Amino acid sequence: MKKLSLLLLSALFIVSCAKTKKKEPVQEEKAKNPNIVVIYLDDLGYGDLSSYGATEISTPNIDALANGGVKFTNGYASSATCTPSRYALLTGMYPWKNTSAKILPGTAPLIISTEQQTLPKLLKKEGYDTAIVGKWHLGLGSGNVNWNEKVTPGPNEVGFDESYILAATQDRVPTVYIKDGYVVNLDPNDPIEVDYKNNFEGQPTGKDNPELLTMKWHHGHNSSIVNGIPRIGFMKGGDAAKWSDVDMADHFLEKAQAYVKSHKEKPFFLYYAMQQPHVPRTPHPRFVGKTNLGPRGDVIVEADWCIGEFVKTLEEEGVLDNTLIIFSSDNGPVLNDGYYDDSDTKNGEHTPAGVLRGGKYSLFEAGTRMPFITYWKGQIQPGVSDALVCQMDLLASVAKLVGTEDKSTDSQELLDAFLGKSEKGREDLILEATSRTALRSGDWLYIPSYGGKPLNTQVNIEVGNSDVPLLYNLKNDLSQQNSVAESNPEKLKEMHNKFIALRGE
Ligand code: NG6
Ligand code: CA
């Protein structure tokens, strides 16, 4: 009996302590802020998910987010390639305002100024812990990086408390993971050297040593060989630090899960930047053959599985209903992006871009219109939204969500649209593809006349170059089959003037 009352007393004590703690106003305020997770795929197209109409690939875990959240039909990356899109996502700035925001080599310096506003910085100020796991591709250091010392500035200097990244792309050297500025598993007796111009003496290359390759290169990708895969750029040393391509998805997943587990007590922002389905496509053996589409389909299924596991972790750790998940991709799809991996020959009936025209590198819609999903269990009413939104707008919108404001960037505050409470999105959006720009305004899409070949034959994608300006009404011509530039000169003029005004030219 005595024991029981003692137990009761101590239980009461604990409860009252917890209560007092909760009463502290700051704690309570912070408790309202949800965790924010951005799940960002690499080169996933508008038609690559079953929830966005794919019939040859099944993505049940991402579909669960789409069907339980807001599925955007007019959700855009800022750009049709990786670096500029990631730049816009993290800084809220139009990437064409920064001439360095182009596809970067692995040796490029950091292109985000450490003075600049960023999404993680903003959240840090509001009491969030912040982390990136996955692909970076925004440059590291200030030129001439020594990979054997702390690599800085990088993600940790622009707002991330923690970072576990691959520097550039899976097809570029250095093929190592970097944790908070340090190459993981680096043996000091086997230092890393990286060069994008010249090979290191005696090092085999994809070009000269085809006998060493397990994956053949189609264009580019003929420099240093790592795990039988020829890469872009030359690298020497760092053997123990080299990643295993087939384990990369599991590796990043484990890091993302571990982050959730160790940060569930405080609001956190996690940027989970997955590498699929960018080349080289290297599904773990347990996913090989899961689709009939070859490795591209298989790595999409692998990514979907990872996302399912990740969401399970949020649930098991008790934070799913306090976490806003934003899902999207950095740019449109490509089948052959430089390796012979059967992704083009086995593609069959699959349409990676859905009904959209173009693909990665393109100013046509498939370049930038992305699968775009917001999910927040118990808070977001499931639905489909046609609001025009861009990843760049997350910065100002998330600012509002956490009770602050940011007007210093190009990011527009569209919180209600992101939470599915309003269909009102942007009026206008400048889209970018390999340094060319176009204007989306209302239902209209205007592509100024750019010289150059209309078709990038290496990747077999129409990039949007034309001798004449192009104008489409996406409402009745989503597939951009009929330019009305000639038949509607007034609209053309209006769009051109708006484009010039917005570009500040
Ligand atoms: C291109 C690469 C391509 C891919 C792309 C970057 C060649 C010929 N092509 O230069 O394979 O790596 O850069 O992709 O090297 S992105 O998704 O990171 O923008
Ligand atoms: Ca990409």
Side-chain angles (χ1 to χ4, degrees), residues 43 82 135 137 169 171-172 219 221 232 278 337 360:
D43 296 5
C82 168
K135 176 175 175 172
H137 210 189
T169 58
D171 54 354
R172 281 174 174 77
H219 57 275
H221 306 96
I232 305 173
H278 195 281
D337 205 14
K360 183 173 180 175

Side-chain angles (χ1 to χ4, degrees), residues 237-291:
D239 262 346
K242 286 176 184 164
W243 65 50
S244 158
D245 291 276
V246 294
D247 294 310
M248 185 177 281
D250 287 335
H251 194 68
F252 282 145
L253 171 63
E254 278 163 27
K255 300 292 169 198
Q257 288 172 315
Y259 185 77
V260 170
K261 288 182 188 164
S262 56
H263 290 78
K264 60 184 175 190
E265 306 298 345
K266 214 180 147 190
F268 63 80
F269 167 62
L270 173 63
Y271 173 34
Y272 180 17
M274 301 171 76
Q275 87 284 8
Q276 302 107 324
H278 195 281
V279 294
R281 298 160 184 135
T282 52
H284 186 273
R286 67 188 193 280
F287 292 99
V288 172
K290 285 285 176 209
T291 66

Side-chain angles (χ1 to χ4, degrees), residues 42-43 80-84 86 102-104 135 137 168-172 219-221 232 278-279 330-332 334 336-339 360-361 458-459:
D42 193 358
D43 296 5
T81 58
C82 168
T83 299
R86 284 161 207 260
K102 296 174 181 155
I103 298 175
L104 297 176
K135 176 175 175 172
H137 210 189
T169 58
Q170 202 187 332
D171 54 354
R172 281 174 174 77
H219 57 275
H221 306 96
I232 305 173
H278 195 281
V279 294
D330 66 343
N331 56 252
V334 54
N336 180 341
D337 205 14
Y339 294 100
K360 183 173 180 175
Y361 312 110
Q458 285 187 322
V459 293

